[in-house]
């Protein structure tokens, strides 16, 4: 419904969500959990950065989204070299740098993994994307779920979120939008 | 936003773990009805009119010990899926879950379980200002209406495999024993694939 305009005019219209007032995330400052290096949320000229908040103990939503991203990168061909994905964990207790690297690396080639231990700081970064997450109750086995905004944000070289793909956005729609952004 | 009717019933937080061993035996005993030709058939039809189509399990992401199984279920007389099990040689615990989208103002887990909805798609859900969170909850069962399919699919109902013994790779087959209120026990062979 929201995306009804995209049906008849393929190739020239975004299939993800575009806000009337796009989010400016140029001030977001985060580091890669593996080596502490700065993560380029704002990509270099000509590139696009994708940002996602999720967690690896996520059997349904996150692997679905990342399987779609993997398909999209395969379908993009050489253009995929200009797209990098940032996975910010909403579950820093369980998602160590190694866990994140192993998980995201099983889907994508070009990525960063971010682990923000301080809850207040994580909230700050989430808020810059108008995202949020919450840890669920711990069960008898010590397991818990994490509620989280499940959106992929595509950031352009001005640090602006140009398009957002909600959960369920399929690879062809992602490819369509990335081709528009990269053209 | 989420169109889940609230308050239909309260999800029961029943752990199925203690039943796994016993049911694994039950499942094995009944396995003949579905598994002999499972490698070539993606559809399982039970005598009671329950039809399971395209059961599949997502290949395990790197380092993960969780899995999710999906399928389409129909029942000509209507039925209710009350339990799903995989052998403990594959995963320690199996539960039926539902992924739901909630408003950020309503994430205390107090929502009623919607057990009648099957394949509501997720169009635009959660996009009201981008604040909608997705979360999971265990459900006590999934109603299969007499007049329509229920699709267990990403973002909706799924069978969650907890504590996988080993990662599942594309091409492998996972036997899943489903228990229905009327149709009883049905075993299906779910193919592992990446998406």
């Amino acid at each position: 419904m929201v995306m009804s305009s995209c049906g008849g005019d393929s190739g020239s219209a975004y299939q993800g969500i575009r806000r009337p007032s796009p989010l400016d995330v140029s001030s977001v400052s985060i580091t890669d959990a593996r080596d502490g290096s700065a993560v380029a949320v704002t990509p270099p000229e000509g590139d696009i950065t994708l940002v996602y908040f999720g967690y690896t103990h996520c059997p349904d939503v996150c692997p679905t989204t990342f399987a779609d991203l993997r398909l999209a990168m395969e379908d993009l061909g050489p253009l995929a070299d200009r797209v990098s994905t940032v996975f910010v964990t909403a579950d820093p207790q369980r998602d160590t740098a190694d866990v994140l690297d192993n998980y995201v690396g099983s889907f994508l080639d070009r990525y960063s993994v971010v682990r923000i231990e301080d809850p207040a700081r994580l909230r700050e970064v989430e808020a810059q994307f108008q995202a949020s997450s919450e840890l669920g109750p711990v069960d008898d086995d010590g397991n818990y779920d994490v509620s989280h905004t499940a959106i992929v944000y595509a950031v352009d070289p001005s640090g602006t979120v140009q398009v957002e793909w909600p959960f369920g956005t399929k690879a062809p729609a992602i490819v369509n939008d990335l081709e528009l952004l990269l053209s | 936003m989420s169109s889940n009717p609230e308050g239909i019933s309260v999800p029961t937080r029943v752990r199925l773990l203690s039943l796994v061993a016993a049911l694994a035996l039950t499942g094995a005993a009944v396995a003949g009805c579905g598994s002999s030709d499972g490698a070539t058939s993606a559809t399982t039809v039970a005598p009671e009119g329950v039809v399971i189509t395209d059961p599949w399990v997502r290949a395990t992401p790197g380092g993960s010990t969780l899995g999710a199984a999906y399928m389409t279920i129909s029942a000509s007389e209507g039925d209710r899926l009350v339990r799903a099990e995989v052998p403990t040689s594959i995963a320690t615990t199996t539960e039926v879950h539902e992924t739901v989208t909630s408003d950020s103002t309503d994430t205390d887990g107090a929502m009623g379980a919607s057990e009648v909805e099957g394949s509501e798609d997720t169009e635009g859900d959660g996009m009201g200002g981008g604040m909608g969170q997705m979360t999971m909850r265990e459900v006590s069962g999934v109603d299969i209406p007499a007049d329509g399919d229920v699709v267990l699919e990403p973002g909706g109902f799924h069978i969650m495999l907890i504590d996988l013994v080993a990662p599942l790779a594309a091409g492998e087959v996972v036997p899943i024993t489903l228990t229905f209120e009327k149709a009883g026990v049905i075993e299906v062979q779910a193919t592992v694939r990446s998406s």
Side-chain angles (χ1 to χ4, degrees), chain A residues 1 17 19 57 59-61 63-64 67 70-71 102-103 106-107 130 132-134 139 141 145 147-151 166-167, chain B residues 15 58 61-63 66-68 70 99 107 122-123 127 129-136 154-156 158 160 194-195:
Chain A
M1 324 271 175
I17 307 296
R19 292 176 191 253
H57 282 67
D60 184 40
V61 170
T64 298
R70 171 175 52 202
L71 275 177
N102 197 0
Y103 187 88
S106 70
F107 292 100
Q130 294 192 12
S132 61
S133 65
E134 273 173 76
D139 73 11
D141 301 325
D145 294 327
S147 304
H148 61 100
T149 310
I151 294 170
F167 175 80
Chain B
R15 279 278 164 193
R58 185 181 303 285
L66 295 171
Y70 308 99
T99 294
T107 51
T122 53
E123 49 171 15
M127 285 309 293
M131 291 295 283
Q133 294 181 355
M134 300 192 79
T135 190
M136 292 190 311
H158 54 279
M160 185 166 162
S194 57
S195 62

Side-chain angles (χ1 to χ4, degrees), chain A residues 145-170:
Chain A
D145 294 327
V146 180
S147 304
H148 61 100
T149 310
I151 294 170
V152 178
Y153 306 88
V155 185
D156 76 0
S158 73
T160 302
V161 176
Q162 286 293 347
V163 62
E164 301 171 35
W165 299 307
F167 175 80
T169 304
K170 297 298 179 198

